[in-house]
Amino acid sequence: MERYKVSIKQIDWLDKENPEAEVLFEINGKQLWAFCHPCNFKEGELAEVCFSFIEEETSEPAFWDENKEQKRDIMPSEKNRCNYYCYGQLKNIHPVLIDCGAVTLSFGDWINDERTIGSYVYFVISRLDISRL
């Protein structure tokens, strides 16, 4: 699990009593939104965090073939601020780690061919989650 230091910019509470929120944070010069539960962040703080996500179904051909420009970027969707289009480079396969520029995401353990390391891939996150370490 990758650890990151982020700056918490804004918290939009979904349910303060349950503590669920969407959190705007800055990492490596990029601002991203993520879902958080339980949310124990404060606006303006620097925090050590990790990320997880819920994947939107992406076909295997799309995963391997849709990043022809060899980008490493995580781009927000216009329909949901915690939803992202991810372009990255495969860095490891046990577990699968994908460098998406500002963040490296852990993507399970399902690839067995070491020749794929270094490949550029594409996938969609339906919800990025953030939690304090």
Side-chain angles (χ1 to χ4, degrees):
M1 179 180 305
E2 299 287 315
R3 298 168 172 247
Y4 295 96
K5 288 200 190 264
V6 302
S7 172
I8 304 299
K9 299 295 185 184
Q10 181 179 333
I11 298 173
D12 283 358
W13 290 100
L14 303 172
D15 182 349
K16 254 190 162 172
E17 292 182 23
N18 193 20
E20 291 182 338
E22 290 180 344
V23 177
L24 177 66
F25 61 95
E26 186 169 321
I27 183 168
N28 298 322
K30 188 164 189 127
Q31 290 193 356
L32 303 169
W33 284 95
F35 175 79
C36 184
H37 179 264
C39 184
N40 55 1
F41 294 113
K42 293 185 176 93
E43 289 183 6
E45 80 170 299
L46 294 176
E48 192 170 351
V49 302
C50 62
F51 301 106
S52 60
F53 60 91
I54 298 172
E55 171 194 3
E56 190 170 295
E57 190 168 331
T58 304
S59 72
E60 195 159 337
F63 180 82
W64 294 109
D65 299 333
E66 290 298 316
N67 190 356
K68 293 180 185 3
E69 295 177 16
Q70 300 185 343
K71 296 190 288 189
R72 286 191 298 265
D73 199 4
I74 179 168
M75 301 169 56
S77 163
E78 292 179 11
K79 61 184 173 184
N80 179 334
R81 64 185 179 188
C82 294
N83 181 282
Y84 295 93
Y85 301 101
C86 300
Y87 298 86
Q89 186 175 26
L90 199 56
K91 293 297 186 185
N92 193 55
I93 60 171
H94 297 296
V96 174
L97 295 177
I98 301 173
D99 176 359
C100 295
V103 297
T104 296
L105 297 170
S106 181
F107 200 81
D109 190 355
W110 58 278
I111 299 173
N112 293 314
D113 187 348
E114 289 190 16
R115 295 173 296 176
T116 61
I117 295 173
S119 297
Y120 286 85
V121 298
Y122 166 81
F123 60 102
V124 179
I125 291 175
S126 62
R127 190 182 82 197
L128 181 64
D129 292 352
I130 187 171
S131 49
R132 184 186 297 277
L133 287 176

